Amino acid sequence: MNQIVLTGMVLSTAPVGEYDRRVVILTKEQGKISAFARGARRPNSPLVGAVNPFSFGEFTLYQGRTSYTIQSASISNYFAELREDVVGAYYGFYFMEFAAYYTRENNDEREMLKLLYQTLRALINPHIPDLLIRYIFELKALCINGQSPQVYQCVICGDKERPAVFSAAKGGLVCSECSGDVIDGIVLNQSTLYSMQFIENSKIEHLYTFAVKEKVLKELGTVMDRLIAVYVDRKFKSLEILETLL
């Protein structure tokens, strides 16, 4: 077996047998992987705290022919604040479940890992509304996955001048000349459109640096609900639980 060191974040964990855990980690080097943490459910195990969701750091693993085994971990951020905030924790679980849905083993998932890390940092900042964090995360995650909606010109003809509606089904803005068969069109507030343009084009480190008015936040929510319905073919349990808490 080969020993390797990977940097990443624990997305989820599940009990295996009497004392072990199966851990899903989103890593910088090898994308999303599954690994066994032997004895991690024993009270005196050095892996007890290291293999919890939200844990970010370096993981030393043995790479076998068919699986990884965690030997040790050096955690740089546990995001412990989220463990004291039920709503914040479920937002975090939702973001990790969303990331797990999109990521694969042996893919370059550095951008998604960076987005997840910066999003959890935003969650523990009391000055940024959780809903805004959610919509920013969702839109940027779609962009990373190559599903960016067109927010600068008509997705059909490329026109930038005529009035346009936003259609999730069409994949973005549709001008007045091309919108004859659009049934889900929304006339976006200019501030909503600017927000979406900023999210799509900003570096991840700069995403959580703006605020919006309540009207724009609500409109962003409508847009993202429709985009998620188009591009994501599953329901997230953590989101369902979160919505019962709000």
Side-chain angles (χ1 to χ4, degrees):
M1 292 193 294
N2 298 319
Q3 188 181 75
I4 58 174
V5 179
L6 303 179
T7 299
M9 178 178 289
V10 176
L11 299 181
S12 63
T13 179
V16 176
E18 191 172 358
Y19 297 113
D20 303 339
R21 287 194 179 278
R22 179 180 175 272
V23 185
V24 178
I25 309 171
L26 182 59
T27 73
K28 182 171 67 175
E29 298 85 358
Q30 297 194 24
K32 183 178 68 176
I33 67 167
S34 294
F36 290 101
R38 307 294 183 188
R41 296 167 64 198
R42 295 181 185 273
N44 60 347
S45 169
L47 295 177
V48 167
V51 296
N52 288 325
F54 307 133
S55 295
F56 177 88
E58 289 187 343
F59 297 84
T60 301
L61 307 99
Y62 286 120
Q63 184 177 13
R65 286 185 297 175
T66 59
S67 64
Y68 296 91
T69 300
I70 301 174
Q71 180 188 21
S72 63
S74 176
I75 304 302
S76 57
N77 198 336
Y78 290 93
F79 290 98
E81 298 91 336
L82 294 178
R83 306 181 200 285
E84 302 167 4
D85 175 7
V86 173
V87 172
Y90 272 99
Y91 270 109
F93 290 139
Y94 169 56
F95 299 145
M96 292 193 294
E97 198 176 353
F98 199 103
Y101 169 83
Y102 267 118
T103 51
R104 299 290 183 270
E105 186 172 354
N106 296 321
N107 270 9
D108 183 350
E109 305 290 5
R110 287 174 291 181
E111 288 295 285
M112 189 66 82
L113 177 61
K114 187 187 298 184
L115 175 62
L116 191 57
Y117 185 84
Q118 294 296 338
T119 302
L120 294 187
R121 287 189 63 192
L123 263 184
I124 60 179
N125 182 342
H127 303 296
I128 308 174
D130 290 342
L131 271 179
L132 180 58
I133 294 171
R134 171 186 166 180
Y135 302 146
I136 292 173
F137 172 85
E138 290 173 340
L139 181 53
K140 197 64 172 181
L142 291 181
C143 295
I144 291 171
N145 200 53
Q147 298 170 322
S148 309
Q150 174 55 258
V151 291
Y152 286 96
Q153 61 190 41
C154 177
V155 72
I156 296 172
C157 73
D159 178 80
K160 298 180 181 180
E161 304 299 328
R162 289 188 287 267
V165 295
F166 184 88
S167 167
K170 297 289 186 182
L173 295 175
V174 183
C175 77
S176 55
E177 291 294 315
C178 299
S179 60
D181 64 341
V182 172
I183 60 174
D184 67 335
I186 309 171
V187 179
L188 293 181
N189 183 293
Q190 198 64 40
S191 294
T192 305
L193 190 58
Y194 286 155
S195 297
M196 294 179 70
Q197 292 170 348
F198 178 83
I199 295 165
E200 290 199 13
N201 287 292
S202 290
K203 292 182 178 180
I204 290 171
E205 294 88 343
H206 301 152
L207 279 177
Y208 299 104
T209 57
F210 71 98
V212 297
K213 294 183 178 179
E214 188 64 32
K215 178 181 178 181
V216 173
L217 184 64
K218 185 176 181 180
E219 202 165 77
L220 276 174
T222 299
V223 169
M224 291 316 305
D225 284 348
R226 295 187 183 190
L227 285 171
I228 296 301
V230 170
Y231 291 114
V232 179
D233 62 356
R234 62 163 291 185
K235 299 291 185 181
F236 297 105
K237 291 182 179 180
S238 49
L239 182 59
E240 293 175 348
I241 295 172
L242 176 61
E243 289 173 343
T244 68
L245 299 174
L246 298 176

